[in-house]
Amino acid sequence: MQFHESLYETNKVKHFKITILKGGRPLKKIAITGGIGSGKSLAGKIIAGQGYDVFSCDEIYAQITKSEEYIRQIEKAFPSVIVNGAIDRKKLSEIVFLDKEKRELLNAIAHPIIMGRLDEKMRKSKGVFIFA
């Protein structure tokens, strides 16, 4: 990966621009953000329909909830939510949405794994624009 830096001026305002090159192509990572029910998934589907790579943290989370490593970590932190070797997501949500500290604990477990997988997917992408 290469970086190209440039300085330019518009309307007497100086701008510093960094272009990240991946295989000689500019690479832009664009985050789709918003609250629950704000349309992030719909926006992602529309963008993907235009041929761009779109990665969903919700989909990554759904995948990791089935991994043995993640289930072990959840079992240590929230033993009552493991039923027959799987995470009972309803039980887990009842616990974490009522207790800020437990929600932060869940986030501390899940977020590094999600971001690691997201980064891995982005690195493998051949797209110039990547949405997540």
Side-chain angles (χ1 to χ4, degrees), residues 36-103:
I36 295 172
S38 63
K40 298 179 299 291
S41 295
L42 177 60
K45 286 178 186 175
I46 292 168
I47 293 166
Q50 298 298 310
Y52 294 101
D53 288 339
V54 178
F55 302 110
S56 165
C57 291
D58 289 341
E59 289 175 11
I60 293 170
Y61 182 71
Q63 293 167 1
I64 69 168
T65 60
K66 296 174 179 78
S67 77
E68 287 182 29
E69 172 197 348
Y70 184 72
I71 291 170
R72 272 195 305 274
Q73 290 184 44
I74 293 300
E75 187 172 27
K76 284 180 191 173
F78 308 98
S80 66
V81 305
I82 304 300
V83 178
N84 297 324
I87 298 169
D88 184 325
R89 291 178 68 172
K90 184 178 180 199
K91 282 184 181 180
L92 181 59
S93 65
E94 289 170 355
I95 291 170
V96 300
F97 288 118
L98 294 175
D99 186 324
K100 181 181 176 185
E101 287 181 12
K102 290 183 180 177
R103 185 170 51 253

